[in-house]
Amino acid sequence: MSSKDEKGGDHRFSEEYLVLKPQGGHSWNLLHLLFSPNVDIYKFVECSQGMKVHGKLVMPDKSSAKYMSTIGNFDTRFELYKNIRKGDPRYHGALSAVAAKLAYENEALVKDTITNEWKMEFLGFYNFWDDFQDEASTQAYMLQDKKDDPELVVVAFRGTEMFSAVDWSSDFDISWYGLSGIGKVHGGFMKALGLQKGLGWPEDLKQPENDKRMFAYYTLREKLKDILRKNEKVKVIVTGHSLGGALAIVFPTVLTFHKEDLMLKRFEGVYTFGQPRVGDEKLGEFLKEKLRINGVKYLGYVYCNDLIPRVPFDNKSFLFKHLGTCLCFNSLYQGKVVEVEPNKNYFMLEKTF
């Protein structure tokens, strides 16, 4: 798209834009605009037809493939790592990192990126119901590496949205529930994944025909079963950042509770980024052994002194502990595999490496 100014200059824009033109405005107009976004009264402001006006504030179309989340705008890159290709031992972790980041975006952008940028097959974007929040607040999407004879399916959970009170409520709900023979699991994360009021985790969820609500655990389990039945060689990766990382590891936890061993054997790995703690030491030991038996990799990536992987606290009061292998990066992005993340409770600072 292009626009000509009065001198005939050619200005190029993306499909959505807001431009301040030097003609027709003064410095005091700009100052006023900074504190009162009444863009429609100024001749020196030009914007695309794709912009929506709410009152006097110009807002982009949040369902557009051109719209990016707050997190997406901090880092606009969505391309895969070109120097880390299939067959490289780093490939699954690298793919998971970008997939977890993409999970913050809307369905249109997710689908466009997977289809046109990554040249993979988009399988679905889901808004899952939280029975306790009484809202469809849990999001995830699925992809497979190719349309025919896929070898890899990825499930990516969205992390905490910066301005979502529901997401923060799930994060801070540090109540826990005991799963028989498994251990204690963070209540907020189980609720977001599909824990049922008054029922807990029934093995088969029976809903009335007119009940169209989807619950993350049950919907994803059935969709994966269908894919795995059709293709004997396909493997599964589950990933997510922050809250999404917590859901990514609680998902196979509930699978073990329902003794879904055949499905777990088809998991390639669980890769989480900035994941908070999800349960107690008993849960950690149980999952570590269960994942080992089924050949499932589990890597938790932690950046420096990021607060989120250090909550809820690892102490005698809260009982929460990390599980699995921790790949910790310092501020210079130098990685090191550690059994326990440095500065595990954040406020008790220790040497990073």
Side-chain angles (χ1 to χ4, degrees):
M1 179 181 295
S2 65
S3 171
K4 298 274 188 179
D5 64 19
E6 293 178 3
K7 295 183 179 180
D10 189 17
H11 297 286
R12 304 252 171 216
F13 305 110
S14 63
E15 291 184 10
E16 292 183 350
Y17 63 91
L18 187 149
V19 176
L20 304 183
K21 301 182 294 183
Q23 298 82 16
H26 301 280
S27 57
W28 65 268
N29 293 129
L30 179 59
L31 182 63
H32 186 263
L33 182 64
L34 291 174
F35 293 97
S36 179
N38 300 329
V39 297
D40 54 331
I41 68 173
Y42 294 118
K43 294 181 179 179
F44 71 96
V45 177
E46 180 181 332
C47 61
S48 64
Q49 293 182 353
M51 305 292 281
K52 291 183 176 179
V53 177
H54 295 273
K56 293 186 177 181
L57 178 63
V58 176
M59 296 292 289
D61 181 359
K62 291 186 177 182
S63 64
S64 165
K66 301 296 181 182
Y67 178 85
M68 282 191 294
S69 67
T70 303
I71 290 178
N73 276 292
F74 281 129
D75 183 352
T76 60
R77 297 171 298 175
F78 292 110
E79 64 270 17
L80 298 177
Y81 297 92
K82 293 180 180 178
N83 62 331
I84 303 178
R85 299 180 179 276
K86 201 170 184 180
D88 188 312
R90 301 170 296 171
Y91 176 75
H92 292 134
L95 173 60
S96 296
V98 186
K101 179 178 180 293
L102 183 62
Y104 285 95
E105 307 307 324
N106 64 43
E107 180 175 2
L109 180 52
V110 169
K111 183 176 181 179
D112 181 70
T113 301
I114 292 170
T115 305
N116 299 317
E117 176 71 31
W118 299 357
K119 309 299 181 185
M120 295 183 181
E121 187 74 7
F122 173 75
L123 296 179
F125 183 97
Y126 310 100
N127 292 290
F128 294 119
W129 194 261
D130 183 325
D131 216 15
F132 294 78
Q133 298 284 359
D134 202 27
E135 187 174 328
S137 55
T138 300
Q139 289 181 339
Y141 70 86
M142 294 178 65
L143 67 87
Q144 60 188 34
D145 58 350
K146 49 189 177 180
K147 183 175 182 179
D148 299 316
D149 297 320
E151 298 177 15
L152 189 67
V153 171
V154 178
V155 177
F157 288 96
R158 175 183 56 76
T160 305
E161 286 192 329
M162 191 173 294
F163 303 110
S164 170
V166 174
D167 287 353
W168 286 108
S169 176
S170 295
D171 291 334
F172 285 110
D173 181 359
I174 56 174
S175 56
W176 51 260
Y177 296 87
L179 292 180
S180 180
I182 294 177
K184 299 179 176 67
V185 188
H186 189 290
F189 301 147
M190 289 216 291
K191 293 170 184 175
L193 193 65
L195 186 72
Q196 300 294 297
K197 280 184 180 178
L199 297 174
W201 288 112
E203 188 168 349
D204 295 306
L205 183 61
K206 302 185 185 302
Q207 294 176 259
E209 287 187 10
N210 61 347
D211 187 351
K212 303 302 181 183
R213 296 174 301 168
M214 294 188 295
F215 296 92
Y217 170 77
Y218 295 99
T219 300
L220 294 172
R221 184 186 67 174
E222 295 313 305
K223 290 187 177 297
L224 285 175
K225 280 185 176 181
D226 186 54
I227 293 171
L228 298 178
R229 276 194 298 265
K230 293 176 180 177
N231 191 317
E232 294 182 356
K233 65 179 181 181
V234 71
K235 289 283 193 176
V236 178
I237 280 178
V238 187
T239 189
H241 168 261
S242 183
L243 167 62
L247 298 178
I249 190 58
V250 174
F251 179 58
T253 300
V254 184
L255 287 176
T256 63
F257 180 63
H258 289 148
K259 297 180 171 54
E260 296 282 0
D261 292 338
L262 291 178
M263 179 177 288
L264 285 172
K265 288 183 183 299
R266 304 288 294 277
F267 273 43
E268 189 284 328
V270 179
Y271 300 89
T272 71
F273 303 86
Q275 173 215 309
R277 299 180 178 114
V278 300
D280 64 355
E281 186 173 9
K282 181 179 179 181
L283 172 69
E285 292 301 318
F286 175 86
L287 274 181
K288 181 179 178 180
E289 180 62 13
K290 200 70 176 178
L291 295 176
R292 184 193 67 79
I293 291 173
N294 289 291
V296 183
K297 297 188 186 79
Y298 170 52
L299 277 176
Y301 292 75
V302 174
Y303 174 68
C304 200
N305 286 318
D306 181 5
L307 172 62
I308 301 305
R310 294 166 171 87
V311 293
F313 287 142
D314 176 356
N315 57 30
K316 293 180 180 179
S317 298
F318 289 99
L319 302 177
F320 286 92
K321 288 191 176 292
H322 262 307
L323 55 106
T325 302
C326 175
L327 183 54
C328 188
F329 291 84
N330 64 17
S331 58
L332 299 177
Y333 296 99
Q334 297 168 329
K336 185 177 182 180
V337 176
V338 293
E339 288 188 11
V340 179
E341 65 283 2
N343 310 328
K344 68 177 184 177
N345 284 331
Y346 194 71
F347 298 108
M348 305 174 186
L349 293 177
E350 307 157 13
K351 187 176 179 181
T352 302
F353 286 156

